[in-house]
């Protein structure tokens, strides 16, 4: 049974009577977080509810202001501005799991992951000037529409099915993981928060379309920034300043930036984070429907490219703050680890615990942080629902009903968004039964992302590739990467571990006086004598690149074996040239230029 909310100035007691003063360092003697929930006050609930209410009102406003056309609903009438699209891209890039999982990873393994913003920077010109230039020249509505133009409708349908499946799993974890972690420190029931999040998001997405999604994302990115910066500033002050934060991380060997190990089984190295991260983010920004849809909602290619660079600043900034947050959290708990002392059960609960321990005595600030985490989840969820609705309409309904009326198509799209919102709640119930869902989801996303960017890259950069090669390469890549991902999950359940976990100390805890490692506490069990098959130990950061290479290699070979495509018969607009990286200023600068390149598709 849940305990009643207590005033912030009171002492919270554990079931055994040990006292824990909110706002100071924890005395973790024989305590467990499940025994003393650190609950919200009314100001926190008010601030959190206000964020959800504003999101709803934005959806209502754009439903009232917008037209009934499908173009207006799905593409914003191709009149979206640079700033809201850039902020929407950034918000969609960052989910609640990023805000919770990244600090936890830095806390456990050190700062190698901090190279990820560089990978995001490197992928920006590749996506903005190569892949995006092709989509804008063709003026397609669905990204997968390109695959039918380049290959055939079968390849397009395969890609669409894989995308929908991926989005269903991804959206489920996006809403479940933050709810599970935050429940431990706020007392909010997991399924209640999931239901509220899905209800609010489905409502404003179905009602207001892409404009509602974009403008709520813009609001939510500011909430994310505000909440994270506020908590970090207070945490740094409590730790004694930046110098203390740096020194405590340095003393524990967490400050590590130049691991150049070429072993692909080493989880985080310069190569895996920068190169592997480059392919992951390129697959996301380059060919993911939710991102391509936003780019195509802008009137010109030039504006879309500017929005991509603006997005880089906002998205990389959030990732950077999340990485830095991990070092601040460690500086707080450097001598009394909450995992070892059983205050929390999972690493992804450490950031919410840190928030309640740091600003829990300041009314409204915990609510601001929770609003930021839920904003990250809402932005990813709304993007997923809107993009899935477009995929279903353009790839599965319109091809069979080409003369469908515009108003009817809009209603169908809204119905699809609502349907998938309901299905997503069922998926959350399924996800809750899986023990290794976070790692499993990352592996599954890597499997699909590799196959997707592989088939688009094959079509754009290999003129001789044909439909048989593209379809065969995509399916084999997906199957192989799923085998790799599932195999790695089985190996982890049997004790697979990596050697980058840092030392955790309980020397400052009342009942603990030893320094131990995360491995010895069962976070990563197993022994070297039980080392699994080497391929299952490959770092998850390489999954997208491996999947892409499988498509390119097999797709090219099979195309030559089955009668390769004659490049002379291809529309030049379907191919990508590296000269597109240095476009003239006139390309895409006016709507008239785009009209000459439009391909009209039903």
């Amino acid at each position: 049974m849940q305990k009643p909310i207590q005033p912030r100035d009171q002492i919270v007691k554990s079931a055994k009577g040990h006292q824990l003063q909110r706002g100071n360092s924890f005395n973790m003697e024989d305590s467990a977080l499940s025994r003393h929930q650190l609950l919200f006050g009314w100001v926190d609930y008010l601030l959190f509810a206000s964020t959800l209410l504003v999101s709803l009102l934005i959806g209502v406003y754009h439903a009232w202001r917008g037209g009934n056309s499908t173009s207006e609903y799905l593409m914003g009438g191709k009149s979206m501005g640079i700033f809201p699209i850039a902020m929407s891209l950034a918000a969609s890039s960052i989910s609640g799991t990023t805000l919770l999982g990244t600090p936890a990873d830095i806390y456990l393994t050190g700062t190698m992951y901090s190279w990820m913003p560089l990978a995001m920077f490197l992928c920006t010109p590749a996506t903005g000037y190569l892949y995006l230039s092709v989509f804008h020249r063709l003026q397609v509505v669905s990204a997968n529409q390109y695959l039918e133009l380049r290959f055939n409708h079968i390849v397009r349908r395969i890609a669409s099915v894989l995308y929908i499946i991926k989005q269903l799993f991804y959206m489920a974890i996006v809403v479940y993981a933050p709810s599970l972690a935050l429940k431990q420190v706020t007392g909010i029931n997991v399924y209640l928060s999931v239901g509220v999040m899905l209800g609010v998001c489905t409502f404003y997405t179905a009602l207001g379309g892409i404009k509602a999604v974009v403008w709520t994302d813009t609001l939510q990115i500011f909430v994310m920034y505000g909440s994270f910066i506020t908590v970090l500033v207070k945490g740094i002050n409590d730790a004694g300043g930046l110098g203390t934060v740096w020194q405590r991380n340095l003393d524990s060997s967490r400050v590590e930036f130049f691991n150049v190990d070429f072993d692909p089984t080493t989880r985080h190295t310069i190569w895996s984070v920068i190169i592997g991260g480059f392919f992951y983010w390129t697959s996301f920004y380059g060919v993911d429907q939710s991102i391509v849809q936003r780019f195509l909602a802008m009137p010109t290619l030039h504006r879309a490219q500017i929005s991509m660079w603006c997005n880089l600043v906002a998205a990389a900034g959030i990732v950077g703050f999340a990485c830095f947050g991990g070092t601040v959290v460690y500086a707080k708990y450097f001598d009394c680890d909450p995992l070892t002392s059983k205050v929390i059960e999972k690493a992804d609960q450490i950031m919410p615990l840190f928030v309640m321990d740091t600003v829990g005595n300041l009314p409204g600030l915990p609510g601001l942080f929770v609003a930021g985490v839920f904003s990250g989840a809402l932005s990813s969820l709304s993007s997923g629902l809107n993009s899935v609705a477009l995929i279903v309409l353009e790839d599965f309904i319109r091809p069979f009903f080409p003369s469908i009326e515009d108003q009817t198509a809009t209603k169908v799209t809204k119905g699809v968004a609502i349907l998938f919102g309901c299905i997503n709640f069922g998926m959350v119930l399924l996800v809750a039964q899986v023990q290794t869902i976070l790692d499993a989801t990352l592996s599954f996303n890597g499997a699909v992302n590799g196959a997707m960017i592989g088939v688009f890259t094959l079509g754009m950069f290999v003129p001789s590739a044909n439909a048989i090669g593209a379809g065969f390469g995509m399916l084999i890549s997906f199957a192989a990467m799923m085998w790799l991902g599932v195999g790695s999950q089985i190996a982890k359940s049997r004790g697979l571990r990596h050697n980058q976990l840092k030392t955790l100390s309980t020397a400052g805890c009342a009942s603990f006086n030893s320094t131990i490692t995360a491995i010895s506490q069962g976070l990563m069990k197993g022994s070297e004598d039980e080392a699994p098959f080497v391929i299952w130990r490959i770092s998850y950061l390489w999954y997208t690149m491996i999947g892409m290479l499988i498509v390119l290699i097999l797709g090219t070979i099979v195309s030559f074996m089955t009668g390769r495509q004659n490049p002379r018969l291809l529309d030049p607009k379907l191919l990508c040239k590296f000269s597109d990286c240095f476009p003239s200023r006139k390309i895409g600068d006016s709507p008239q230029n785009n009209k000459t390149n439009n391909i009209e598709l039903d």
Side-chain angles (χ1 to χ4, degrees), residues 162-170 288 444-445 448-449:
L162 293 182
Y163 179 79
I164 291 173
I165 294 174
K166 187 199 83 164
Q167 285 297 95
L168 283 175
F169 275 95
Y170 179 69
D288 189 279
F444 184 80
N445 280 346
V448 178
N449 289 346

Side-chain angles (χ1 to χ4, degrees), residues 111 239 241-257 324 327-328 330-331:
T111 58
L242 286 172
T244 303
V245 171
W246 175 265
Q247 191 61 48
R248 288 176 179 176
N249 282 269
L250 190 65
D251 292 342
S252 67
S253 301
R254 275 172 172 74
V255 178
E256 181 184 16
F257 294 107
F324 178 63
T327 65
V328 178
Y330 178 76

Side-chain angles (χ1 to χ4, degrees), residues 31-68:
S31 63
L33 189 62
S34 59
R35 298 172 185 162
H36 59 272
Q37 299 285 354
L38 306 180
L39 303 180
F40 269 19
W42 68 269
V43 179
D44 300 307
Y45 281 111
L46 179 63
L47 187 59
F48 175 55
S50 298
T51 303
L52 298 179
L53 179 61
V54 172
S55 297
L56 283 173
L57 292 177
I58 291 175
V60 173
Y61 173 77
H62 284 288
W64 173 64
R65 282 287 305 271
N68 294 321

Side-chain angles (χ1 to χ4, degrees), residues 179 190-200 425:
S179 299
V190 171
Y191 296 109
L192 174 62
S193 60
V194 166
V196 169
M197 200 184 313
L198 282 171
V200 170
F425 189 83

Side-chain angles (χ1 to χ4, degrees), residues 41-333:
W42 68 269
V43 179
D44 300 307
Y45 281 111
L46 179 63
L47 187 59
F48 175 55
S50 298
T51 303
L52 298 179
L53 179 61
V54 172
S55 297
L56 283 173
L57 292 177
I58 291 175
V60 173
Y61 173 77
H62 284 288
W64 173 64
R65 282 287 305 271
N68 294 321
S69 70
T70 308
S71 174
E72 182 73 21
Y73 181 80
L74 293 175
M75 307 300 293
K78 291 187 177 294
S79 60
M80 300 300 297
I82 293 174
F83 179 75
I85 288 293
M87 295 302 101
S88 179
L89 289 171
S92 300
S93 308
I94 308 300
S95 66
T97 53
T98 303
L99 299 177
L100 298 176
T102 302
D105 192 90
I106 298 292
Y107 177 88
L108 290 175
T109 67
T111 58
M112 278 304 304
Y113 191 81
S114 300
W115 285 104
M116 188 57 75
L118 177 58
M120 300 173 72
F121 172 80
L122 294 176
C123 89
T124 299
T127 56
Y129 296 96
L130 294 177
Y131 296 93
L132 178 58
S133 65
V134 174
F135 291 126
H136 240 280
R137 280 201 303 267
L138 298 173
Q139 286 294 293
V140 293
V141 177
S142 161
N144 295 334
Q145 202 170 354
Y146 167 84
L147 297 178
E148 182 169 357
L149 293 172
R150 176 63 178 84
F151 299 115
N152 60 30
H153 68 281
I154 297 176
V155 176
R156 175 181 180 178
R157 302 289 188 278
I158 293 173
S160 299
V161 169
L162 293 182
Y163 179 79
I164 291 173
I165 294 174
K166 187 199 83 164
Q167 285 297 95
L168 283 175
F169 275 95
Y170 179 69
M171 288 188 291
I173 191 58
V174 156
V175 297
Y176 176 71
S179 299
L180 178 64
L182 292 170
K183 185 260 181 184
Q184 303 300 319
V185 293
T186 64
I188 302 175
N189 181 271
V190 171
Y191 296 109
L192 174 62
S193 60
V194 166
V196 169
M197 200 184 313
L198 282 171
V200 170
C201 187
T202 302
F203 179 82
Y204 74 70
T205 302
L207 199 64
I210 186 66
K211 286 188 175 180
V213 171
V214 166
W215 283 107
T216 51
D217 285 351
T218 302
L219 164 70
Q220 289 155 5
I221 191 69
F222 283 103
V223 175
M224 282 187 267
Y225 261 103
S227 63
F228 226 83
I229 292 175
T230 301
V231 171
L232 290 184
V233 169
K234 182 64 165 58
I236 293 169
N237 183 67
D238 288 352
L242 286 172
T244 303
V245 171
W246 175 265
Q247 191 61 48
R248 288 176 179 176
N249 282 269
L250 190 65
D251 292 342
S252 67
S253 301
R254 275 172 172 74
V255 178
E256 181 184 16
F257 294 107
F258 299 104
N259 187 330
V260 293
D261 189 357
F262 287 96
D263 185 353
T265 65
T266 301
R267 188 164 175 264
H268 289 163
T269 67
I270 285 181
W271 319 116
S272 65
V273 178
I274 296 179
I275 300 176
F278 167 81
F279 284 101
Y280 173 81
W281 287 108
T282 300
S283 71
F284 179 71
Y285 284 121
V287 301
D288 189 279
Q289 172 60 39
S290 63
I291 301 301
V292 174
Q293 185 176 350
R294 282 162 173 72
F295 284 137
L296 295 177
M298 305 189 72
T300 68
L301 173 61
H302 184 60
R303 286 174 174 265
Q305 290 166 342
I306 293 176
S307 71
M308 183 64 190
W309 286 105
C310 295
N311 152 77
L312 169 67
V313 176
I318 283 287
V319 174
F321 275 120
C323 291
F324 178 63
T327 65
V328 178
V329 171
Y330 178 76
K332 178 75 172 178
Y333 301 120

